[in-house]
Amino acid sequence: MRGRGTGREPVPGPDSFPRRPYDLVKEFTIALAAAVVLTVGLAALFSSPDESPITLARWARSAPDDFAATAVAELAATSGTAQYGPPYTSTPGAEQKIGPVSLQRAAGVTIPINTARDFVLRPLTAAPEPASVSDGLATWRDAPAGRRRQWATAYAEALDRAGGDPADVPPGDYGPVPVLTSRLLELAQAGALDGELLAAGHFYQTDYTRPLLFLGDGSYLEDQARARHLAGDQWGMMNETGNYPGQPWLWLYTLWYQIEPFSSSGNADALVWGLMALLTLVFILVPFIPGIRSIPRWSRVHRLVWRDYYRSRRTARRH
């Protein structure tokens, strides 16, 4: 038993503990230099290419024939955007479905796009135009819808037979379509069309929906993506360049596009979305699903993870 007093052990002084010199600044400098070398080295080996943006001007200069053919398709309302359905157009039967349920139709047309008006006529009307273009716009506006479609369809077919070169298109009943598309090509090559399609009546012009849709209707953007291994059947963003992986968290989503029935289905987007929603729900409900929730206990993986703890328990029992 202790005698009377505080009953406390004496507090050891600083000199009773072992000491060694430690240069915190030196350690920090070494760690920072190592991190910089690793970052720069790995970025040089595995980084993605820093590609310049693909704009309407670049498209029109690099592939004028493709641009002209796409502009005609926008006038004829036969482009991918014109036939896409909600949320851009109300084209009947164009929406994707999961069984009898059409998610696109349920959401409705939330971003209305009239391809002839938004991609061709409005930019031409907003820019100062020669008399021939102004007359062509007036002729187009005054013509019935069926007549406009005939002009655009006839010119699209003639352009296709001419290999895409407007200069080789023979004379025909095309209405003002050749004049309008030729002038739109000039605006695009000058860089004016990019700004015209971005103009939305707001101070900050950051909505790139229309330029991207116009680009996507042509083949130039897809050709650039395929050349860089970014096409859908090349795993898209999952494979950024060559054989190096891109965003690994996308592998499960992009996987389904590579196998049947998704790879050949016209409803692939809706089907993959529905499947991923179902898998996500199953993952969330794992703690509540009998059998599946017991897999960790049956597999005894936890004993491998906590092997040091179980080893110490066995040692304590033996002693």
Side-chain angles (χ1 to χ4, degrees):
M1 295 182 64
R2 296 179 182 274
R4 297 181 64 182
T6 61
R8 298 177 179 175
E9 296 290 338
V11 178
D15 294 336
S16 62
F17 296 97
R19 291 178 295 175
R20 67 182 179 88
Y22 184 80
D23 191 336
L24 183 61
V25 175
K26 178 181 177 181
E27 295 289 339
F28 171 77
T29 303
I30 293 174
L32 179 62
V36 169
V37 171
L38 283 174
T39 301
V40 173
L42 293 176
L45 290 174
F46 302 109
S47 64
S48 301
D50 185 15
E51 299 287 349
S52 59
I54 297 178
T55 62
L56 297 176
R58 177 177 167 185
W59 174 26
R61 294 165 188 160
S62 302
D65 294 350
D66 181 53
F67 180 92
T70 305
V72 176
E74 306 295 9
L75 284 173
T78 57
S79 65
T81 299
Q83 300 295 318
Y84 189 83
Y88 306 122
T89 67
S90 56
T91 305
E95 67 274 5
Q96 297 189 26
K97 298 180 180 180
I98 301 179
V101 179
S102 171
L103 300 177
Q104 287 179 257
R105 185 64 59 187
V109 179
T110 56
I111 309 175
I113 300 287
N114 182 307
T115 57
R117 179 194 64 206
D118 295 332
F119 297 160
V120 181
L121 304 177
R122 182 177 291 166
L124 290 177
T125 303
E129 297 298 347
S132 59
V133 178
S134 299
D135 293 342
L137 289 170
T139 301
W140 180 272
R141 283 193 298 265
D142 295 338
R147 187 63 173 147
R148 299 175 191 169
R149 195 176 303 109
Q150 289 176 356
W151 286 335
T153 303
Y155 190 65
E157 293 173 352
L159 198 60
D160 183 60
R161 288 193 297 268
D165 187 356
D168 293 337
V169 174
D173 186 14
Y174 312 130
V177 175
V179 174
L180 299 181
T181 54
S182 176
R183 177 55 178 167
L184 190 73
L185 177 61
E186 292 176 1
L187 288 177
Q189 290 175 333
L193 187 59
D194 289 281
E196 289 289 347
L197 292 188
L198 279 177
H202 305 292
F203 182 79
Y204 294 106
Q205 310 298 341
T206 56
D207 185 357
Y208 287 85
T209 301
R210 286 173 173 78
L212 284 175
L213 289 175
F214 194 8
L215 271 169
D217 286 337
S219 60
Y220 179 75
L221 183 63
E222 182 180 358
D223 292 342
Q224 298 301 305
R226 187 167 294 280
R228 289 157 180 78
H229 309 280
L230 297 173
D233 57 357
Q234 297 169 318
W235 290 68
M237 288 186 294
M238 182 63 194
N239 196 1
E240 288 192 355
T241 176
N243 294 322
Y244 297 118
Q247 294 87 341
W249 58 87
L250 290 175
W251 76 266
L252 181 58
Y253 196 91
T254 57
L255 165 68
W256 305 110
Y257 286 93
Q258 317 306 318
I259 61 177
E260 293 290 350
F262 309 102
S263 60
S264 60
S265 173
N267 287 335
D269 291 337
L271 293 176
V272 171
W273 180 89
L275 179 61
M276 289 301 297
L278 178 62
L279 292 177
T280 302
L281 181 62
V282 171
F283 182 75
I284 293 173
L285 296 178
V286 161
F288 307 99
I289 302 176
I292 295 180
R293 66 185 181 188
S294 302
I295 290 177
R297 178 166 52 85
W298 294 340
S299 65
R300 302 175 72 82
V301 175
H302 64 282
R303 298 186 70 87
L304 177 64
V305 176
W306 295 96
R307 56 186 179 277
D308 292 340
Y309 167 74
Y310 287 104
R311 187 183 301 117
S312 65
R313 286 189 60 185
R314 288 194 299 270
T315 303
R317 290 196 192 97
R318 284 197 294 268
H319 292 81

